[in-house]
Amino acid sequence: MTETGIDLVKDETPATPGTPLLEVRDLQVEFHTREGVAKAVNGVSYSVEAGETLAVLGESGSGKSVTAQAIMGILDMPPGRIAGGEILFQGQDLLAMTEAQRRKIRGNKIAMIFQDALSSLNPVLSVGYQLGEMFRVHKGASRKEAKARAVELMDRVRIPAAKDRVNDYPHQFSGGMRQRIMIAMALALEPDLIIADEPTTALDVTVQAQVMDLLAELQQEYRMGLILITHDLGVVADVADRIAVMYAGRIVERGDVREIYRTPAHPYTKGLLDSIPRLDQKGSDLYAIRGLPPTLTSLPAGCSFSPRCDRAREICVTERPLPVTVLDAEGAPVPGRSSACHFWKETLHG
Ligand code: ADP
Ligand code: MG
């Protein structure tokens, strides 16, 4: 028993049964900076199944992108360093592979979509050329075949008049259309997993929804796993199956999307949910979590969120809460649901 009067149940329930498509286990990534060692990813574990969407949420700086970069094998090393953990893709540890083996997986089996299409696309090559290149390089297609496949893909992501636009350059497309082209690039080789890092953050709100819907639809159709990284809880409700909430390099809550929306079990998740703008609210009424995330070079001894938490008591300052399985009203463990909060129960029912 802890001071809170609740039995600590170690979080051992697998999030999903069977061998996951991707499983990140206790991943640790450090950056060596002048201020000291920044633990950007501090023991992150999550998994994704084929055909499933995992949303990774959290404020800027929580380690979402660094985790993705470690999975893709595109982490800046140095200053970055993988200090521990495993990344199992279809059961094989990516971190134990040679660069040549990883290159085969990158693009072919795991593709990534970034926030900023303009800096990911080459400005001096037509989009058709860049899409076609995927087929020429990876599949040995002829120029003519490659162009035909490029038009097909542009159709798939619903770029109007694809045939007429295949020779256009990236700057000739709107932001939303460019992001569709990025989705087409990611889809080209029919990967098993797509990691989308803030794919709609740079777009207008109305366009955001269209691009997100398209991504969700294609993910279903191709039965891919999707890791959707976002700081915007508003966009994930409709598309995600499960959620992992990150704070200061750790996962503080994870579980089924509907359950977390209905009954968050971590004050940080609750704060994020309360900060979603609602149509019936005026701008000035908008709730924001007070304070700022901690400095990663000097994390507090107890709960990293405690300095910002209204529920924090002494134990939160002295003792770091480990993830525990959340129990339902009958006291039964909820599969795949965990919270790293000493007061998860009070949060769940408060
Ligand atoms: P986000 O959740 O916004 O995607 P990131 O994963 O990009 O956050 O970054 C997490 C933390 O990792 C940052 O707050 C920063 O301290 C550290 N970090 C990321 N990239 C670098 C880098 N190239 N050099 C030093 N520190 C970095
Ligand atoms: Mg990021």
Side-chain angles (χ1 to χ4, degrees), residues 31 33 38 40 58-67 69 76 79 197-198 229 296:
F31 288 96
T33 68
E59 286 165 298
S60 176
S62 53
K64 307 179 300 292
S65 296
V66 169
T67 307
Q69 287 157 11
D76 262 341
D197 193 354
E198 311 264 5
I229 296 171
L296 296 173

Side-chain angles (χ1 to χ4, degrees), residues 5 17 22 31 36 81 86 94 107 115 139 152 170 179 195 209 216 246 256 264 282 294 297 312 329:
L22 178 88
F31 288 96
R81 185 178 91 87
E86 289 172 315
L94 296 178
Q115 174 178 331
K139 304 275 179 199
E152 244 173 64
Q179 209 53 332
I195 303 173
M246 283 189 71
D256 175 86
K282 294 214 181 67
T297 45

Side-chain angles (χ1 to χ4, degrees), residues 59 247-248 252 266-269 271 287 289-290 294 300 302-310 312 316:
E59 286 165 298
Y247 188 77
V252 294
H266 195 288
Y268 179 59
T269 315
Y287 172 84
I289 303 170
R290 66 184 161 88
C303 172
S304 301
F305 186 61
S306 62
R308 306 173 70 187
C309 185
D310 295 332
C316 306

Side-chain angles (χ1 to χ4, degrees), residues 17-298:
T19 301
L21 176 65
L22 178 88
E23 190 178 0
V24 177
R25 283 189 191 161
D26 198 22
L27 183 70
Q28 322 238 357
V29 183
E30 303 173 341
F31 288 96
H32 291 254
T33 68
R34 250 179 299 170
E35 289 74 39
V37 178
K39 295 187 171 162
V41 180
N42 203 348
V44 161
S45 301
Y46 61 59
S47 65
V48 196
E49 293 276 358
E52 184 190 53
T53 298
L54 171 76
V56 180
L57 296 167
E59 286 165 298
S60 176
S62 53
K64 307 179 300 292
S65 296
V66 169
T67 307
Q69 287 157 11
I71 297 168
M72 275 306 271
I74 55 168
L75 200 62
D76 262 341
M77 295 200 280
R81 185 178 91 87
I82 294 180
E86 289 172 315
I87 302 173
L88 303 175
F89 179 70
Q90 295 173 334
Q92 284 182 297
D93 189 3
L94 296 178
L95 299 180
M97 288 183 184
T98 63
E99 182 48 33
Q101 288 171 314
R102 293 208 74 173
R103 215 176 300 126
K104 265 194 195 151
I105 288 178
R106 189 159 56 227
N108 263 309
K109 289 178 176 282
I110 308 179
M112 192 152 171
I113 300 169
F114 298 93
Q115 174 178 331
D116 184 5
L118 256 196
S119 61
S120 307
L121 292 165
N122 188 327
V124 300
L125 298 172
S126 73
V127 299
Y129 184 89
Q130 293 180 65
L131 281 168
E133 200 171 23
M134 305 290 285
F135 299 104
R136 285 194 308 279
V137 172
H138 293 270
K139 304 275 179 199
S142 70
R143 281 191 82 100
K144 203 174 156 211
E145 277 167 354
K147 196 163 178 180
R149 297 299 297 276
V151 173
E152 244 173 64
L153 271 177
M154 288 169 74
D155 269 331
R156 290 311 306 272
V157 296
R158 294 199 218 103
I159 292 173
K163 222 177 179 147
D164 302 327
R165 303 216 59 186
V166 67
N167 294 322
D168 285 358
Y169 292 87
H171 74 268
Q172 292 174 284
F173 291 84
S174 67
M177 287 298 151
R178 272 198 297 267
Q179 209 53 332
R180 284 169 194 262
I181 293 162
M182 290 310 297
I183 295 174
M185 294 275 260
L187 282 177
L189 304 173
E190 302 190 11
D192 299 300
L193 175 68
I194 288 191
I195 303 173
D197 193 354
E198 311 264 5
T200 62
T201 301
L203 305 175
D204 291 343
V205 176
T206 45
V207 182
Q208 275 185 7
Q210 291 161 9
V211 172
M212 195 56 73
D213 287 348
L214 173 73
L215 186 60
E217 188 188 312
L218 292 165
Q219 178 259 336
Q220 285 291 310
E221 196 180 315
Y222 287 75
R223 273 199 60 75
M224 295 175 296
L226 174 65
I227 298 177
L228 178 63
I229 296 171
T230 178
H231 66 270
D232 184 356
L233 260 161
V235 307
V236 304
D238 300 330
V239 297
D241 298 297
R242 287 186 302 117
I243 289 182
V245 182
M246 283 189 71
Y247 188 77
R250 294 192 179 107
I251 291 183
V252 294
E253 177 164 12
R254 64 191 182 102
D256 175 86
V257 64
R258 264 158 248 91
E259 280 174 27
I260 288 186
Y261 268 69
R262 210 178 321 122
T263 50
H266 195 288
Y268 179 59
T269 315
K270 192 169 182 314
L272 288 179
L273 282 168
D274 289 343
S275 332
I276 300 177
R278 290 200 323 251
L279 288 174
D280 56 348
Q281 260 177 343
K282 294 214 181 67
S284 58
D285 294 343
L286 196 60
Y287 172 84
I289 303 170
R290 66 184 161 88
L292 292 168
T295 311
L296 296 173
T297 45
S298 54

